[in-house]
Every structure is written in structure tokens, then in C-alpha cells.
């Protein structure tokens, strides 16, 4: 894949970059290794000062970097600005909380005595150079939610960003440099995916985190396993959105539209499969379809646009194939199911709702990365849970109900890293984020995220010998 900014709203290549050669990659890995040796000894106050400074700069830069992101991958510009501000807020959160999240722990006196130690403690020490392989869909947020905790823990980062967001990738390196992080603490490597293996196998690289597709995750995890290196994987999702009879149907339908089309439908945690109880199916389907039909598709730099183009021509082709397969297998398009008229340039797709999905259709099992919803009718809670879990993925889930007993059942039975009631899945720095099954493993954000790239070290002090009295 060429490393280039190609405007998805026009298909025009705006800027291309040569990938780094082997010599330059070596220089940067060496700089990261060298930076880690000193940066690891800095205190939380100093790291927090630098990260807060990065947050200040990002807030100032938000309007400009938002336009760059929109031009590179097509998200509506208002959402791009919001993403930049969320990143700044999350940097401040980790700057404030990292010290308490990584504070030394002491076992109870009874356990210490039982271990034979005079005293014992647990310390969270940084692992070293962490390679981050990141996707284009939230080109700032995916990186910051790795970088903020990693840097606060005393690690240093090497970013291999998606090839279609090179300007955002370079901006991130520049942001941390301007904030005052020492040379080598955070570097962007403009390389294709073929360069990842050699970097990951380099003994100076301690660990890797990848957010992206299942094939990319499998490849990186296999290499890391061969090198016995820690990985965190945040992969795809096909999140269920269950609507039960006690739900506020008006709100559930309105939120469903946003949950499906946020980021032009290209979000791992977007709701993708809408599983609706038969008692409220017709009311929900009517409102949801009307909401999807009313969305404004258009230029993502226009503030009034709801849904911009898909990020790449291939992305649209993949989505069209899933929809066409479903339609030819007997599904019905309640709206959409085609490209919008009047958009000859760019990779636009009409917001779509499909009903009549069967288990033999590809769309039932695969992730729809675009503004396409599948609608299912179920007879009760057991069927809703079974259908929600009938997917290779397990990232998050959404349930609309006011019934406490139903809530307990969904929390107990849904196979997902999150269960969001009466709302849509979102991320917050204080709450862990990640999935099960083919959605990956490990967690980002919160205490769980910052500890993923720590060496959890046991420190044990033997008792002083009895001096014979
Ligand atoms: P992708 O093709 O897997 O790309 C993600 C990153 O991995 C890019 O930097 C890409 O580089 C690199 N890559 C691709 N193949 C690789 C390989 N074999 N070895 C090493 N690196 C490789 O995914 P995408 O299409 O950009 O992103 C969409 C996917 O990401 C969806 O499945 C979505 O659900 C998932 N996602 C998950 C989360 C989460 O938190 N769970 C968040 C966002 C997105 P190039 O660009 O150079 O190919």
C-alpha cells in the first residue's frame, strides 16, 4: 500500500511519501533504545508535565489537525475536532492518575510473614520500546490511547501508522517533540506493513500493540509469539444492539442511528447487528430506517455532513460485496443498498438497513465497516442472547431495557468486553477497553491498560539473621 494522503471524498492523491529505508529504521530503533535508558528513570511529575504540555498543544492545534484527518480518511470534520479534544483530555487524565495507578503495592503483613520475607512489595516498571501498529479510523485517538499510558509508565513508543494517514502520523511525532519529550521517546516510522516483522524481531523492541483487522493481528501476534514478546490486540467487532420491550423506543432508534454511522460507519465499536424483540420490532424498524434515510451524506469538510465517504475504494468494494451477497440471498434493503446518486468521485455509500438476514449470508458473520445495519427479529431474551453471541467477535455490546433482571442476564451471558445499557458504546480513559474471541486480547485505558506494558516486579527482602541471643 503506498504511503500517501488520498482524499476519500475525491479520490485525488494529495501527497506521497517514500517509506523509510533500513538504515533510517535502524537509526530510529537505536534512538528509541537509547531514549528509554534515561527516560525510564524520570519521575511521574516530569512525565506528567510533558504530557500536559502535549495536551495544551493538541487543544490549540485541534481545528487544523482535524482538517488534516478529514482530508486523509474522510470523517466529518466536527467529529475529527472532537477526537482531538478527547485525546487532550485523556492525556491529562493519565498525567493526573498514572502515579496512583502504578503505585507500589504491599501484600498484607500476614502474607509477608507467611512468605518468609521481612517485607515484600510489587513494583510496576516500564518494559521498554513498544511498537504500536495502528489503524486509520481514529487516527489520533488510537495512537494517543496507547501513547499516553505508555509514556506515563516510562516506556517509549515507535508508531507504525496506517499508510493512508501519513500526515497525521507525522503530526503525532511532532506533537510529542514540541511538548518536550526527549529525542527518541516517540517516533513515527513511515513504513509499510511489510517492514513490521523485522522491527518487531529486533531485540531492542520489547512489545507490540496492534489495533486493526484480524489478519494483521494474527500476523503480528505470531511474530511476537515466536520472539516471546508481549502483545495487546484490539481487532474487529460486530457489536450487537439489542432492543427489548421495556426500552424507550424513540431514544433507542435515535441512538441506533448514531451508533451505526459514527465515523462513517467505520468504527470497531459501532453497533452493527440490531436485534429487536418482536413486540417492538415494527416500531423500532420504522424509526431507525427513517433516521438512517434522513442522514446527510456529503463532503466531510462541510459542517452539516453526517456521513462522509469510506476511507478507501477497497473499503467500499468490501462493503458492497457484503450487501450484494445479502441481497442476492434474499435480504431486503429497507433503505440504501447502493451508492448515492450524484457522487461520481469519492467512495461514498448510502446509509443502509437490511432485514431478512439468514445465517448463510456473509454479512451475518463478517464485520460491516461502513454505514450498513442488519436488522433481526427475536422472540425473547434467550434468542436475543444466542444471536448476539453468534459471531466470531466479542468487542462490545449494547442493550436497551429497563428491566433489572434482564440486565443481570445480559451482563452474565453476553460474550463481549463491554455491555452498555440504554446508550451506545464509548471509550473513556477511566474504563477498560478491549474484547474477547476474535476481537483480540488485553485491555487499553484505565489501570488495566497502563499495566499491560509494565514489568510487574516482585521485590522480596529476606529477614535479617537472628544474631544468636
Ligand atoms: P488493517 O488493515 O489491519 O490495518 C491496521 C494497521 O495494521 C495498519 O497500520 C496496517 O498497515 C497494519 N497492517 C496490516 N496488515 C499487516 C500485517 N500483515 N502485518 C503488520 N501490520 C499490518 O486494519 P484497517 O483496515 O486499517 O482497520 C480496520 C480494522 O481495525 C477493522 O477490523 C476494525 O474493527 C479494527 N479496529 C479495531 C479497534 C479496536 O479497538 N478493537 C479500533 C479501531 C479499528 P498498512 O496501512 O500499511 O496496511
Amino acid at each position: 500500500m503506498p504511503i500517501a494522503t488520498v482524499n476519500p471524498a475525491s479520490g485525488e492523491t494529495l501527497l506521497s511519501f517514500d517509506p523509510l529505508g533500513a538504515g533510517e529504521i535502524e537509526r530510529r530503533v537505536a534512538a528509541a533504545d537509547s531514549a528509554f535508558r534515561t527516560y525510564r528513570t524520570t519521575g511521574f511529575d516530569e512525565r506528567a508535565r510533558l504530557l500536559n504540555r502535549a495536551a495544551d498543544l493538541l487543544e490549540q492545534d485541534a481545528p487544523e489537525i482535524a482538517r488534516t484527518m478529514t482530508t486523509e480518511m474522510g470523517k466529518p470534520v466536527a467529529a475529527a475536532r472532537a477526537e482531538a479534544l478527547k485525546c487532550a483530555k485523556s492525556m491529562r487524565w493519565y498525567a493526573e492518575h498514572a502515579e496512583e495507578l502504578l503505585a507500589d503495592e504491599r501484600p498484607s503483613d500476614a502474607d509477608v510473614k507467611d512468605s518468609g520475607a521481612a517485607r515484600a512489595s510489587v513494583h510496576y516498571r516500564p518494559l521498554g520500546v513498544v511498537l504500536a501498529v495502528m489503524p486509520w479510523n481514529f487516527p489520533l485517538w488510537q495512537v494517543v490511547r496507547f501513547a499516553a499510558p505508555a509514556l506515563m509508565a516510562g516506556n517509549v513508543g515507535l508508531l507504525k501508522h496506517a499508510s493512508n494517514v501519513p500526515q497525521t502520523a507525522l503530526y503525532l511525532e511532532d506533537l510529542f517533540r514540541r511538548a518536550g519529550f526527549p529525542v527518541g521517546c516517540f517516533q513515527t516510522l513511515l513504513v509499510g506493513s511489510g517492514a513490521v516483522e523485522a522491527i518487531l524481531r529486533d531485540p531492542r523492541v520489547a512489545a507490540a500493540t496492534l489495533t486493526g483487522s484480524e489478519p494483521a493481528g494474527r500476523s503480528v501476534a505470531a511474530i511476537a509469539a515466536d520472539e516471546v514478546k508481549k502483545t495487546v490486540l484490539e481487532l474487529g467487532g460486530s457489536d450487537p444492539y439489542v432492543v427489548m420491550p421495556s426500552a424507550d423506543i424513540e431514544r433507542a432508534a435515535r441512538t441506533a442511528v448514531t451508533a451505526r454511522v459514527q465515523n462513517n460507519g467505520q468504527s470497531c465499536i459501532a453497533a452493527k447487528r440490531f436485534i429487536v424483540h418482536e413486540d417492538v420490532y415494527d416500531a423500532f424498524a420504522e424509526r431507525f430506517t427513517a433516521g438512517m434515510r434522513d442522514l446527510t451524506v456529503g463532503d466531510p469538510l462541510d459542517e452539516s455532513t453526517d456521513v462522509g465517504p469510506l476511507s478507501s475504494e477497497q473499503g467500499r468494494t468490501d462493503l458492497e460485496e457484503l450487501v450484494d451477497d445479502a441481497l442476492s440471498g434474499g435480504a431486503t434493503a429497507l433503505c440504501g443498498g447502493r451508492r448515492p446518486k450524484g457522487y461520481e468521485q469519492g467512495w461514498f455509500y448510502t446509509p443502509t438497513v437490511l432485514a431478512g438476514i439468514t445465517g448463510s449470508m456473509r454479512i451475518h458473520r463478517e464485520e460491516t465497516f461502513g454505514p450498513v445495519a442488519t436488522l433481526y427479529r427475536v422472540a425473547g431474551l434467550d434468542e436475543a442472547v444466542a444471536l448476539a453471541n453468534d459471531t466470531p467477535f466479542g468487542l462490545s455490546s449494547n442493550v436497551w431495557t429497563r428491566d433489572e433482571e434482564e440486565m443481570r442476564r445480559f451482563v452474565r451471558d453476553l460474550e463481549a468486553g463491554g455491555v452498555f445499557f440504554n446508550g451506545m458504546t464509548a471509550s473513556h480513559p477511566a474504563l477498560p477497553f478491549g474484547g474477547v474471541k476474535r476481537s483480540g486480547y488485553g485491555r487499553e485505558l484505565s489501570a488495566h491498560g497502563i499495566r499491560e506494558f509494565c514489568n510487574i516486579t516482585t521485590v522480596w527482602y529476606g529477614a535479617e539473621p537472628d544474631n544468636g541471643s
Side-chain angles (χ1 to χ4, degrees), residues 277-350:
H277 192 284
E278 59 190 7
D279 291 356
V280 289
Y281 180 91
D282 290 340
F284 177 86
E286 185 194 322
R287 287 166 177 77
F288 179 46
T289 305
M292 291 286 276
R293 203 181 274 127
D294 282 352
L295 292 165
T296 306
V297 177
D299 178 1
L301 285 171
D302 185 331
E303 298 283 344
S304 64
T305 290
D306 298 313
V307 182
L310 299 188
S311 75
S312 69
E313 188 165 23
Q314 185 61 50
R316 184 174 64 178
T317 304
D318 293 346
L319 188 70
E320 282 178 327
E321 284 176 6
L322 285 181
V323 172
D324 293 348
D325 174 75
L327 292 175
S328 65
T332 312
L334 302 184
C335 65
R338 53 172 175 75
R339 297 180 187 183
K341 294 200 174 66
Y343 289 95
E344 305 325 320
Q345 258 95 47
W347 304 309
F348 293 90
Y349 198 76
T350 309

Side-chain angles (χ1 to χ4, degrees), residues 263-286:
N263 213 38
N264 306 340
Q266 304 161 117
S267 170
C268 54
I269 50 167
K272 289 167 188 152
R273 297 175 297 131
F274 296 80
I275 298 168
V276 186
H277 192 284
E278 59 190 7
D279 291 356
V280 289
Y281 180 91
D282 290 340
F284 177 86
E286 185 194 322

Side-chain angles (χ1 to χ4, degrees), residues 91-161:
M91 287 172 168
R92 293 191 200 290
W93 191 89
Y94 267 113
E96 184 184 342
H97 293 283
E99 184 167 9
E100 102 205 24
L101 301 178
L102 300 181
D104 297 348
E105 291 168 8
R106 300 196 184 283
S108 72
D109 288 348
D111 284 338
V112 171
K113 192 170 171 210
D114 190 52
S115 78
R119 57 196 164 98
S121 50
V122 176
H123 299 240
Y124 292 93
R125 300 189 295 156
L127 273 188
V129 180
V130 184
L131 172 66
V133 182
M134 290 290 148
W136 45 264
N137 62 341
F138 293 91
L140 281 182
W141 172 235
Q142 301 293 358
V143 177
V144 165
R145 76 184 192 186
F146 148 73
L151 289 166
M152 282 308 298
N155 294 299
V156 304
L158 286 174
L159 169 65
K160 181 270 177 274
H161 216 326

Side-chain angles (χ1 to χ4, degrees), residues 253-271:
R254 219 173 30 247
T255 308
V257 174
T258 311
R260 177 56 286 213
V261 303
Q262 57 173 322
N263 213 38
N264 306 340
Q266 304 161 117
S267 170
C268 54
I269 50 167

Side-chain angles (χ1 to χ4, degrees), residues 1 133-137 142 145 160-163 193 196 211-213 216 219-220 234-237 268 367 369 395 433:
M1 200 184 207
V133 182
M134 290 290 148
W136 45 264
N137 62 341
Q142 301 293 358
R145 76 184 192 186
K160 181 270 177 274
H161 216 326
S163 292
S193 58
V196 167
T211 301
S213 62
S219 166
V220 164
E234 296 288 358
L235 308 179
C268 54
E367 182 181 23
F369 223 51
L395 194 50
F433 184 100

